[in-house]
Amino acid sequence: MTTNRIAFQGEPGAYSHEACRSARPGMEALPCRTFEDVIEAVRAGDADLAMLPVENSTYGRVADIHHLLPESGLRIIDEAFVRVHISLLAVPGTTLDQVREAMSHTVLLGQCRGFLRRNAIHAITGADTAGSAKEVAARGNPSLAALAAPLAGEIYGLDRLADRIEDRQNNTTRFLIMSRHSDDSRRAERMLTSFVFRVRNIPAALYKAMGGFATNGVNMTKLESYMVDGVFTATQFYADIEGHPEDANVARALDELRYFTSSLDILGVYPADPLREMQRQASMAD
C-alpha cells in the first residue's frame, strides 16, 4: 500500500519542502518536526519516501544525519541537488532599514553572514527556516525578519525585502531520497553507491581498506568519519563512490574493503543528480 507522500523536516515552506516539490512534484509533502520523525513516518508507512538534507556547499555537513542513516532501516534511492536562494522576509510594509534582527536555522545563518554584516542585522537562531518565517508573521514586529526560501514568504504572507542574499552564488544543498526498499536494478550513465563501514583493529587498516578503490580505478567522492555512541575509540566511516556494486571494478574494491572491515552496510545504489556533473565540469573549467 502506498500513500503518495514524501516526508520532510520542518514547516511548510522549508527548503526540504522545496526539494520535495522539485524532485517529486506528484507527491504530497508531509511536514515533520524532526529528522527522526521523518524517518519514522516512512518506517510506519505514513509516507513512502523521506527527503533528508545531508550537506551544503557553503556550510558543510548537516549535523546528526550521518548518525541517523545507518540505524534508520531505510535505503537511499535518489539524490537531489537544490540551489539555495535565501530571501529576507518581513511583515508587510516593512523596509530594510527597519530590520534589526533576522531569525533562521543556524545552517542558513552561516550562509549569508556577509549580507547580515553589511546591513548591521543581528542573527537569531530559530528552530528551522520556514518555522522562523511563521514566527515572524505571528509576531508582526517590523524589526524582526526571517531568512528563508521565497516559498516560505508566499505561504506566510511576508514581504521579500531582499532576494538571493547568500554569500556564494553556487550555494547548493544535497538531499537524499530514502525508501523502505532499495532499488539496485536501475542503471544510469553515472551511478553512486553509499555505504558505512568500520575498520578492523589492525595497523593501517583504513589505508589498506582504501587502497582497493585506488587500484581498481573507483572514484570516491566522499569519505567522512564520526564517533559511534560518543566513544572516541569507536569510529564509523561514511563513503560515496561512483559506480554500481555489480561493476567489476567496484565489486573488487568492495571485496578488498570487506577484508579490512569489521562491518559494512550498503545504504543505497542510485543515479547521480545531473547537477552533480554540471558542478564538476564547472569546477574543472575554473
Side-chain angles (χ1 to χ4, degrees):
M1 181 178 177
T2 61
T3 65
N4 199 39
R5 290 177 181 164
I6 181 169
F8 69 94
Q9 186 275 329
E11 296 282 352
Y15 287 97
S16 293
H17 185 190
E18 196 172 84
C20 292
R21 298 209 321 181
S22 174
R24 293 294 189 275
M27 299 186 73
E28 176 188 352
L30 176 67
C32 298
R33 189 176 62 87
T34 66
F35 292 134
E36 290 89 346
D37 292 340
V38 172
I39 291 169
E40 185 55 33
V42 178
R43 290 170 59 173
D46 296 326
D48 300 325
L49 302 175
M51 179 70 74
L52 295 170
V54 289
E55 56 193 325
N56 175 267
S57 59
T58 301
Y59 188 82
R61 182 168 70 181
V62 177
D64 299 331
I65 286 295
H66 291 81
H67 292 275
L68 295 174
L69 295 184
E71 306 300 325
S72 69
L74 305 183
R75 290 294 177 261
I76 305 166
I77 63 166
D78 268 313
E79 66 171 355
F81 282 60
V82 176
R83 279 285 290 106
V84 177
H85 294 305
I86 304 173
S87 294
L88 184 72
L89 308 173
V91 293
T94 301
T95 57
L96 180 58
D97 60 356
Q98 290 179 281
V99 177
R100 295 290 177 265
E101 298 176 319
M103 177 185 296
S104 193
H105 190 282
T106 182
V107 170
L108 209 70
L109 293 173
Q111 297 171 24
C112 51
R113 292 190 181 99
F115 175 86
L116 298 178
R117 184 173 58 253
R118 289 191 300 273
N119 290 279
I121 297 174
H122 178 65
I124 299 177
T125 301
D128 58 63
T129 59
S132 297
K134 184 178 181 180
E135 185 167 344
V136 166
R139 290 191 189 184
N141 180 359
S143 69
L144 177 65
L147 297 166
L151 176 61
E154 297 175 18
I155 291 175
Y156 300 109
L158 299 175
D159 283 354
R160 288 157 52 185
L161 304 187
D163 290 320
R164 300 197 176 197
I165 61 174
E166 55 272 15
D167 292 334
R168 299 182 182 178
Q169 294 307 305
N170 65 342
N171 192 20
T172 305
T173 296
R174 180 189 180 217
F175 291 83
L176 296 179
I177 302 175
M178 305 191 72
S179 170
R180 290 186 297 275
H181 310 290
S182 61
D183 185 2
D184 300 349
S185 63
R186 292 173 301 167
R187 286 286 185 166
E189 184 176 351
R190 293 191 69 200
M191 296 293 294
L192 297 174
T193 299
S194 297
F195 54 90
V196 291
F197 65 94
R198 298 187 194 183
V199 294
R200 294 167 55 195
N201 188 22
I202 58 175
L206 180 60
Y207 173 79
K208 295 173 182 176
M210 295 296 95
F213 296 98
T215 57
N216 287 287
V218 177
N219 185 30
M220 180 170 287
T221 61
K222 177 174 289 296
L223 177 65
E224 294 186 339
S225 64
Y226 54 96
M227 291 187 299
V228 180
D229 299 326
V231 179
F232 284 102
T233 55
T235 303
Q236 186 155 267
F237 295 88
Y238 171 94
D240 293 333
I241 60 172
E242 293 183 349
H244 192 290
E246 294 177 359
D247 296 341
N249 62 331
V250 175
R252 289 192 299 267
L254 290 174
D255 282 343
E256 290 191 42
L257 176 65
R258 289 185 180 95
Y259 183 79
F260 295 105
T261 58
S262 58
S263 66
L264 171 63
D265 183 17
I266 294 180
L267 300 178
V269 181
Y270 50 98
D273 187 287
L275 188 55
R276 176 185 286 271
E277 178 64 18
M278 292 173 59
Q279 290 187 343
R280 187 182 72 86
Q281 292 180 357
S283 65
M284 292 175 63
D286 293 341

